[in-house]
């Protein structure tokens, strides 16, 4: 069971990036997927979450209105479209998975998720 986040890069403030989370070894469409990020010297924080059906989506207040999470179960991918990026969005971004639909009030907690992928670096310059 492996998750892989991709799509990171370096952009100027105001720019956009699209992150993708793909799975190998299991069928992603059964899983709720969360995106987290960790900046140097800071704790890992929940950014967004989408449940297995795709009908429930959650966002951190800091990214609401700028980031959009989506999933394509046919392709087995979950995407995070990040627009109007700010320097404070600079971090390593991780995707994580948990089977079914957990207690969604806990979507931003690390312990909610069973599987984690390698991160992808996002750097936003001012």
């Amino acid at each position: 069971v492996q998750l892989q986040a991709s799509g990171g890069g370096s952009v100027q403030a105001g720019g956009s990036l699209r992150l993708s989370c793909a799975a190998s070894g299991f069928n992603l469409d059964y899983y709720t997927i969360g995106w987290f990020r960790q900046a140097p010297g800071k704790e890992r924080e929940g950014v967004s979450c989408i449940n297995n059906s795709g009908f429930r989506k959650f966002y951190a207040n800091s990214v609401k209105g700028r980031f959009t999470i989506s999933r394509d179960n046919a392709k087995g991918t979950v995407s995070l479209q990040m627009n109007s990026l700010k320097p404070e969005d600079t971090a390593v971004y991780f995707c994580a998975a948990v089977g079914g639909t957990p207690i969604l009030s806990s979507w931003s907690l690390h312990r909610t998720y069973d599987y984690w992928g390698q991160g992808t670096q996002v750097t936003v310059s001012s």
Side-chain angles (χ1 to χ4, degrees):
V1 173
Q2 288 186 327
L3 291 171
Q4 181 63 52
S6 61
S10 297
V11 296
Q12 290 192 326
S16 298
L17 285 171
R18 187 176 181 89
L19 305 184
S20 183
C21 180
S24 60
F26 64 97
N27 199 348
L28 195 63
D29 59 2
Y30 172 69
Y31 290 80
T32 288
I33 303 298
W35 282 99
F36 287 75
R37 65 186 181 188
Q38 188 165 20
K42 294 187 177 181
E43 293 188 356
R44 192 171 296 191
E45 64 167 338
V47 174
S48 185
C49 169
I50 187 167
N51 78 328
N52 53 354
S53 69
F55 291 131
R56 302 291 303 277
K57 302 177 183 180
F58 301 87
Y59 299 94
N61 288 336
S62 58
V63 306
K64 277 181 182 175
R66 300 188 297 121
F67 291 12
T68 303
I69 193 170
S70 61
R71 68 189 303 153
D72 185 336
N73 284 344
K75 294 183 179 179
T77 59
V78 173
S79 298
L80 185 69
Q81 178 66 41
M82 307 187 297
N83 298 329
S84 302
L85 283 162
K86 303 175 181 180
E88 51 263 44
D89 294 318
T90 295
V92 178
Y93 284 69
F94 302 86
C95 60
V98 58
T101 299
I103 298 174
L104 291 174
S105 59
S106 302
W107 74 266
S108 63
L109 301 179
H110 313 162
R111 64 174 183 267
T112 298
Y113 300 86
D114 296 321
Y115 306 106
W116 290 81
Q118 300 273 6
T120 185
Q121 176 71 46
V122 171
T123 303
V124 184
S125 57
S126 57

